[in-house]
Amino acid sequence: QVRLVQSGGGSVQAGESLTLSCVASGYTGRTGDFSAYTVGWLRQGPDNQREGVAAIASDGTTTYADFVGGRFTISRDNGKNSVRLQMNSLKPEDTATYYCATLSLWLGTKTPMEALGLLGYSAAEGQGTLVTVSS
């Protein structure tokens, strides 16, 4: 059974940094290798709107939402089946519950960032972790 387990997050002041980590298990056999999947982070804010934050493809290509503005860095370690999101210069508007996700291998016409913001395109998602940024 595929599982994504998150760690990190918490409460910080504006301008500070946080690191979110996610470790996947169960990616063997029929589900394929973790390294084949695009993985990413999405968030759901107080308005419950779901939006993609960052994604990293199987070849290491990274994409970010416009609001990231160079403040976040996504990385993956396929040897450890893990993905990390380093968040610097956090702002109060970054307050949200963050989820890691592996995306379905077929996204149709959706880009990874679009897919992260929509239901139905994740192969698996983590349990979510709350990030609170105060001013």
Side-chain angles (χ1 to χ4, degrees), residues 3 8 12 24 27 35 44 55 63 69 73 75 83-84 87-88 96 104 110 122 126 134:
R3 281 189 75 198
V12 296
Y27 277 98
S35 64
Q44 202 161 6
T63 53
T73 302
S75 60
V83 60
R84 192 174 77 161
M87 303 186 293
N88 299 325
S104 298
K110 301 298 182 187
S122 296
S134 55

Side-chain angles (χ1 to χ4, degrees), residues 115-130:
L116 284 170
L118 298 171
L119 292 172
Y121 287 91
S122 296
E125 293 185 2
Q127 79 275 20
T129 186
L130 180 62

Side-chain angles (χ1 to χ4, degrees), residues 34-56:
F34 174 79
S35 64
Y37 288 80
T38 293
V39 294
W41 294 87
L42 61 100
R43 69 187 189 184
Q44 202 161 6
D47 59 358
N48 273 337
Q49 185 171 357
R50 181 184 171 106
E51 57 185 355
V53 177
I56 182 166

Side-chain angles (χ1 to χ4, degrees), residues 9-109:
S11 298
V12 296
Q13 297 287 319
E16 294 183 340
S17 300
L18 277 175
T19 301
L20 305 181
S21 298
C22 176
V23 177
S25 61
Y27 277 98
T28 59
R30 187 171 62 86
T31 59
D33 194 80
F34 174 79
S35 64
Y37 288 80
T38 293
V39 294
W41 294 87
L42 61 100
R43 69 187 189 184
Q44 202 161 6
D47 59 358
N48 273 337
Q49 185 171 357
R50 181 184 171 106
E51 57 185 355
V53 177
I56 182 166
S58 58
D59 65 359
T61 301
T62 58
T63 53
Y64 297 91
D66 289 342
F67 62 77
V68 170
R71 299 179 296 129
F72 299 175
T73 302
I74 188 171
S75 60
R76 67 189 298 166
D77 184 339
N78 291 329
K80 297 180 179 179
N81 283 7
S82 66
V83 60
R84 192 174 77 161
L85 184 68
Q86 174 67 42
M87 303 186 293
N88 299 325
S89 302
L90 283 162
K91 304 175 181 180
E93 51 263 44
D94 293 318
T95 295
T97 299
Y98 286 72
Y99 299 85
C100 63
T102 51
L103 291 175
S104 298
L105 294 177
W106 185 83
L107 300 180
T109 61

